[in-house]
């Protein structure tokens, strides 16, 4: 019974924190806000968490550990996808698993990515998703950039494209299903950013 009560209390504190991320933001909220929202005493809060930062880290670690667990079995497929599907014609299994994980937790993930959230969270997500893939980019026998672009800039452009689309997608009030946004990512990976837009010719009267 005591363990169940502890679990329920911690869950209430985390839920209050997540709710306040959206309404007040990380910097503006304090422990009193959290305890009031969770309907627990300050002493109860400090029994479980050292401070607000410790609570933030635990909420993020819950998400990142789940993501890492989801991706753990997918990494061999991810490496094969990068090496063998050079045109990225098939959706990457590891990206779909990432999108599903975020979709399942889209409210808290979106709030952590927001301007009121944790500015370091994106970097933490990046390390989890791409940690096993980054060494591939550093192997000249496996990856060669186009002429005029160094390998490191090519690598960063690809990763930033993927992460930028994920952040934009998950931050929408109602994100599309993971399978749908995955097709968008695959399309973007197959085109240079500028080639995704077709500029219409201006009417003659507008040129004068």
């Amino acid at each position: 019974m005591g363990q169940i009560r502890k679990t329920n209390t911690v869950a209430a504190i985390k839920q209050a924190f997540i709710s306040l991320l959206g309404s007040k933001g990380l910097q503006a909220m304090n422990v009193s806000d959290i305890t009031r929202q969770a309907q627990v005493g300050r002493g109860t809060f400090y029994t479980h968490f050292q401070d607000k930062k410790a609570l933030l880290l635990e909420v993020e670690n819950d998400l990142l550990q789940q993501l890492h667990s989801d991706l753990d079995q997918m990494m061999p497929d991810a490496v094969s996808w990068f090496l063998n599907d050079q045109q990225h014609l098939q959706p990457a299994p590891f990206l779909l698993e990432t999108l599903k994980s975020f979709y399942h937790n889209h409210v808290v993930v979106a709030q952590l990515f927001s301007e009121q959230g944790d500015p370091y969270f994106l970097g933490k997500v990046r390390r989890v998703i791409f940690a096993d893939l980054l060494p591939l980019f550093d192997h000249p026998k496996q990856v060669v950039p186009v002429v005029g672009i160094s390998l490191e800039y090519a690598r960063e452009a690809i990763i930033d494209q993927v992460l930028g689309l994920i952040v934009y997608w998950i931050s929408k009030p109602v994100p599309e299903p993971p399978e749908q946004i995955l097709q968008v990512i695959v399309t973007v990976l197959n085109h240079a950013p500028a080639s995704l837009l077709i500029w219409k010719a201006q009417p003659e009267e507008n040129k004068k």
Side-chain angles (χ1 to χ4, degrees):
M1 181 67 72
Q3 182 61 39
I4 294 176
R5 186 180 299 112
K6 175 183 176 181
T7 301
N8 290 341
T9 299
V10 171
I13 292 173
K14 289 181 179 179
Q15 188 56 50
F17 175 79
I18 292 168
S19 176
L20 288 165
L21 266 179
S23 60
K24 295 197 69 170
L26 180 61
Q27 297 303 320
M29 82 167 83
N30 54 42
V31 172
S32 294
D33 295 323
I34 298 169
T35 56
R36 188 180 307 113
Q37 181 87 6
Q39 298 184 341
V40 300
R42 289 176 64 88
T44 300
F45 176 91
Y46 288 112
T47 297
H48 300 290
F49 302 100
Q50 181 177 356
D51 50 26
K52 182 181 70 173
K53 181 179 179 180
L55 173 56
L56 168 68
L57 292 177
E58 183 159 326
V59 168
E60 291 183 341
N61 285 339
D62 288 345
L63 293 168
L64 295 173
Q65 287 174 7
Q66 182 60 54
L67 178 60
H68 185 274
S69 176
D70 293 340
L71 291 176
D72 195 41
Q73 301 301 317
M74 308 299 299
M75 278 305 119
D77 290 335
V79 173
S80 175
W81 179 78
F82 262 100
L83 293 180
N84 300 322
D85 188 3
Q86 296 296 315
Q87 298 300 316
H88 300 146
L89 299 177
Q90 299 299 321
F94 79 99
L95 284 179
L96 181 57
E97 206 62 35
T98 299
L99 297 173
K100 286 181 177 179
S101 181
F102 283 179
Y103 189 74
H104 180 69
N105 301 286
H106 78 272
V107 173
V108 60
V109 172
Q111 289 168 354
L112 288 168
F113 277 145
S114 73
E115 292 182 358
Q116 297 191 101
D118 179 9
Y120 302 105
F121 184 61
L122 182 60
K124 297 174 184 179
V125 168
R126 171 197 169 102
R127 285 192 290 273
V128 172
I129 299 176
F130 293 101
D132 292 332
L133 297 175
L134 286 177
L136 295 178
F137 289 95
D138 296 327
H139 201 303
K141 292 184 179 180
Q142 294 176 332
V143 180
V144 179
V146 298
V147 176
I149 301 179
S150 69
L151 189 56
E152 61 179 333
Y153 283 115
R155 177 194 66 204
E156 292 304 307
I158 293 171
I159 292 176
D160 284 350
Q161 278 184 345
V162 173
L163 289 178
L165 288 170
I166 290 176
V167 171
Y168 180 80
W169 163 71
I170 205 63
S171 300
K172 298 174 73 171
V174 182
E176 296 91 341
E179 294 78 6
Q180 186 173 337
I181 191 63
L182 180 59
Q183 293 298 329
V184 174
I185 291 174
V186 169
T187 300
V188 169
L189 285 174
N190 281 299
H191 296 80
S195 69
L196 292 172
L197 298 175
I198 299 176
W199 299 97
K200 295 182 178 179
Q202 292 183 334
E204 288 299 323
E205 58 270 19
N206 292 340
K207 295 180 180 180
K208 297 178 181 180

